[in-house]
Amino acid sequence: MQKKFAILGDIHSNLDALNVVLDDCRANGVTDFLCTGDVVGYNACPRECIEIIRSLGCPVVMGNHDHYVSSWQNLSDFNPAAAEVIKWTRKQLNDEELSFLRSFPFVSTNMGITLVHSTMDCPESFGYVFDHLQAEAHFTHQVTPICFHGHTHCPMIYEKQVSAVYRIDAQDFKLPLGRKYFINVGSVGQPRDGDPRAAYAIWEPAERMLSFRRLDYDIEAAQARIRAAGLPERLAERLSVGR
Ligand code: ZN
């Protein structure tokens, strides 16, 4: 059977979005899962999302929220709402769930595909890649032809030709041979590109076909969970606008 990969990340404890994405993966005949990290943070279902990702048995790389929830580090780098949810999430999880998060590597290569949450230019620092210059710094470290990432919550393609890096809007795309690609798959649980629908990507190596998926999900249900947990209202509101 030919491989069909689903690459998903920045789930951020959004169970309603994750369930819709996994239904879409099944409907599309996905054979393998890869996760670009940030299973937890921002939304109200960390335990359920950890359980589902664990049950997939797939490679997962360390996101900044996974890292800070499970390492008890100082949260001065985070905005106050994000930090509040990290502290809340720490209290929801048992030791075993925390050690699952702690087990994620910063970079993972599987079947010729690299995964990193942010950028391979110092992945432990979780820098953001928003333009071709930041992507260029990443490409000096990318060995495989394809690397998937997340972190900005904005789907995007960066293409490296011999001497230049180009930024290409996320679109269904047959990847030419002989170039390198650094592909942001967007966010399942908190999109920030102005489109509130859950995002992930499908990669079919035999056809070299990349598809970006966007799916409606029950945003009001996710918002109700945030409110019921007493988490910041702003985190519920932003789901409606995809920012
Ligand atoms: Zn994230």
Side-chain angles (χ1 to χ4, degrees):
M1 191 169 58
Q2 289 190 342
K3 295 267 187 200
K4 198 167 188 178
F5 292 92
I7 306 96
L8 46 104
D10 293 290
I11 296 151
H12 286 302
S13 300
N14 189 334
L15 179 63
D16 303 284
L18 179 58
N19 279 332
V20 166
V21 163
L22 294 180
D23 285 346
D24 191 66
C25 291
R26 284 180 207 110
N28 279 285
V30 162
T31 62
D32 292 78
F33 290 88
L34 300 170
C35 181
T36 52
D38 269 358
V39 178
V40 298
Y42 291 125
N43 286 276
C45 296
R47 302 194 70 178
E48 295 87 342
C49 291
I50 286 173
E51 188 50 43
I52 289 171
I53 293 301
R54 197 208 315 253
S55 72
L56 295 176
C58 65
V60 189
V61 286
M62 181 73 88
N64 49 325
H65 289 253
D66 306 324
H67 182 58
Y68 281 83
V69 163
S70 64
S71 68
W72 305 91
Q73 289 192 29
N74 181 293
L75 297 172
S76 53
D77 287 351
F78 282 84
N79 74 55
E84 188 178 332
V85 185
I86 286 177
K87 287 183 209 150
W88 177 87
T89 303
R90 285 171 175 167
K91 286 188 230 149
Q92 310 305 310
L93 303 183
N94 62 33
D95 286 349
E96 207 252 322
E97 289 157 341
L98 289 166
S99 57
F100 176 65
L101 296 179
R102 220 173 280 131
S103 72
F104 302 161
F106 285 92
V107 178
S108 172
T109 302
N110 311 273
M111 294 169 279
I113 300 168
T114 303
L115 300 173
V116 67
H117 183 64
S118 54
T119 163
M120 288 179 71
D121 179 24
C122 201
E124 299 86 356
S125 302
F126 299 110
Y128 288 88
V129 175
F130 278 112
D131 62 31
H132 71 281
L133 289 175
Q134 292 157 337
E136 210 164 304
H138 158 86
F139 274 118
T140 60
H141 303 272
Q142 182 180 326
V143 179
T144 57
I146 297 176
C147 175
F148 290 103
H149 71 128
H151 196 40
T152 66
H153 300 201
C154 296
M156 190 67 66
I157 303 168
Y158 296 94
E159 179 186 79
K160 169 135 175 75
Q161 297 190 23
V162 180
S163 58
V165 171
Y166 300 94
R167 194 174 82 156
I168 304 168
D169 288 341
Q171 56 192 282
D172 292 356
F173 195 45
K174 191 173 168 81
L175 303 190
L177 285 164
R179 300 172 190 175
K180 278 187 185 173
Y181 289 93
F182 184 38
I183 298 157
N184 192 316
V185 296
S187 170
V188 170
Q190 195 200 70
R192 291 182 196 158
D193 59 345
D195 180 346
R197 294 176 298 167
Y200 81 103
I202 292 179
W203 167 236
E204 297 170 80
E207 311 293 329
R208 297 195 59 76
M209 194 63 207
L210 176 70
S211 317
F212 288 91
R213 306 283 303 156
R214 295 309 284 258
L215 301 162
D216 287 313
Y217 73 96
D218 191 345
I219 291 176
E220 287 177 15
Q223 291 171 320
R225 294 182 201 271
I226 288 172
R227 291 176 182 130
L231 297 174
E233 173 61 22
R234 186 178 154 255
L235 298 179
E237 286 167 6
R238 68 188 296 178
L239 293 179
S240 309
V241 289
R243 290 287 179 200

